Amino acid sequence: MTDLENIQKKLEKRLKKDRYQHTLGVMYTAASLAMRYDDDVEDALTAGLLHDCGKFCSSKEQIKLCKEYKIKLTDEELEMPALIHAKLGAFLAEKEYHVKDRRILNAILYHTTGCPDMNMLEKIIYIADYIEPGRKMIPALPQVRRLAFKDIDEAVCACAVSTLEYLKEEGRPIGPMTIKTYKFYRNRKG
Ligand code: FE
Ligand code: FE
């Protein structure tokens, strides 16, 4: 069995059914984007497969696990527990799924908020998470899907805008990293 198949088996057992389906969607979408942008397809599959591996339990339990593993959480993360699975996920990908490649671990770490000046794999996972085929339809989705294969920086910008709008509409707190991502890619796109 390849490493990838091994990880897939473990995740199928640990994740809820719909989370696992989403995971497969992100994995194959990431692979397609890697083909389009000449990135490593195997790395994209691995990062896509593991991007939500920290989401196998509730945010409360995720916080508990972070304490146990001595993973430092920022005020931003404690205020927005939806962000915690990314940090926990990057940790677990290394410790439990034996991924050593920092590029893959960072793609997992930044998949929720993005960050300024992302490398290609980070952008691929950030976008694949948003556009995978199983995502429920939101107004910006067709546009981001189209842009993703045309100009990935523009897609990142559209994705960040849409995330900010969503958080605003829901009255949820908006973290500084999401804003930084937006500002960087607003100025970057052609
Ligand atoms: Fe996630
Ligand atoms: Fe996800």
Side-chain angles (χ1 to χ4, degrees), residues 138-156:
I138 50 161
L141 194 49
Q143 184 212 5
V144 179
R145 280 180 172 159
R146 213 176 315 115
L147 283 173
F149 290 91
K150 205 176 143 227
D151 181 328
I152 199 161
D153 284 345
E154 277 199 44
V156 169

Side-chain angles (χ1 to χ4, degrees), residues 8 15 32 61 71 73 79 82 88-89 110 128 131 134 160 172 174 182 184:
Q8 206 170 319
L15 297 176
S32 307
E61 287 166 293
I71 302 170
L73 296 173
E79 220 178 295
L88 178 62
Y110 295 120
I131 67 167
R172 296 222 228 152
I174 295 171
Y182 162 67
F184 183 90

